[in-house]
Amino acid sequence: MKSKSTARIIGFLYLFTILTPVLGNAIFDERQLKIDDIPTTLQLIADHSFKYQLSISLDLISVVGVMALAFSLYALLKPVNHFLAWLALGWRIGEVLLQAGGTIPNFLLMNLNQLINTGVGNVNTVGSLLIAGANKAVWLSFVFFSLGSI
């Protein structure tokens, strides 16, 4: 593939990976999820379950776009320096794995409402851990993103 067409694909993928999470956040702002008020957070998710699911789905679609972007950047950078292209690809794959793993707690959070109805354990603790885990995974993925982009 020519480097000009690869550069165009990369430009599209950059826009795609920026716009999909922005759209997902416009549909459901995950900053509304409060660690210290799990019952209200779970009620918010239950009241807006479709929007919440759509937001998580757009995040996962963005992760797929980031993966495609990483391989496209590898193809573009490989002729320049093979070792640095592999290094950047490795960091970006780490970013993708963390971002994808960070969506798992969000899916589990959707089902936490059912635990309240069955009276299982301390739902507040579990909910807080899920929200904190998702947030930490996203922030850690920014480190991998930064190193892979450098």
Side-chain angles (χ1 to χ4, degrees):
M1 185 182 305
K2 294 182 181 180
S3 59
K4 187 175 182 178
S5 60
T6 304
R8 286 184 179 159
I9 291 170
I10 290 171
F12 169 77
L13 288 171
Y14 265 116
L15 289 174
F16 179 79
T17 59
I18 291 169
L19 292 177
T20 49
V22 168
L23 179 61
N25 199 36
I27 291 171
F28 185 89
D29 186 4
E30 290 185 16
R31 292 177 297 172
Q32 297 175 21
L33 305 179
K34 304 295 183 203
I35 291 176
D36 54 347
D37 192 8
I38 296 301
T40 304
T41 297
L42 293 177
Q43 188 60 47
L44 179 70
I45 291 171
D47 291 344
H48 304 286
S49 63
F50 179 73
K51 288 181 179 181
Y52 187 69
Q53 291 172 4
L54 187 58
S55 175
I56 294 171
S57 298
L58 285 170
D59 285 345
L60 286 174
I61 290 170
S62 175
V63 168
V64 171
V66 170
M67 195 64 171
L69 175 63
F71 281 106
S72 298
L73 284 170
Y74 171 77
L76 187 67
L77 296 174
K78 183 180 171 187
V80 176
N81 188 320
H82 186 71
F83 174 73
L84 288 177
W86 272 111
L87 185 63
L89 179 64
W91 283 113
R92 296 306 293 263
I93 289 173
E95 170 200 357
V96 166
L97 292 174
L98 283 167
Q99 286 180 349
T103 60
I104 293 169
N106 292 329
F107 280 112
L108 295 174
L109 204 54
M110 287 187 306
N111 297 319
L112 200 55
N113 267 335
Q114 296 170 358
L115 290 178
I116 290 175
N117 297 334
T118 59
V120 173
N122 191 345
V123 175
N124 288 333
T125 303
V126 174
S128 297
L129 288 172
L130 290 173
I131 293 171
N135 290 339
K136 298 278 190 240
V138 169
W139 281 105
L140 187 58
S141 75
F142 291 156
V143 172
F144 282 77
F145 164 74
S146 300
L147 291 171
S149 295
I150 289 172

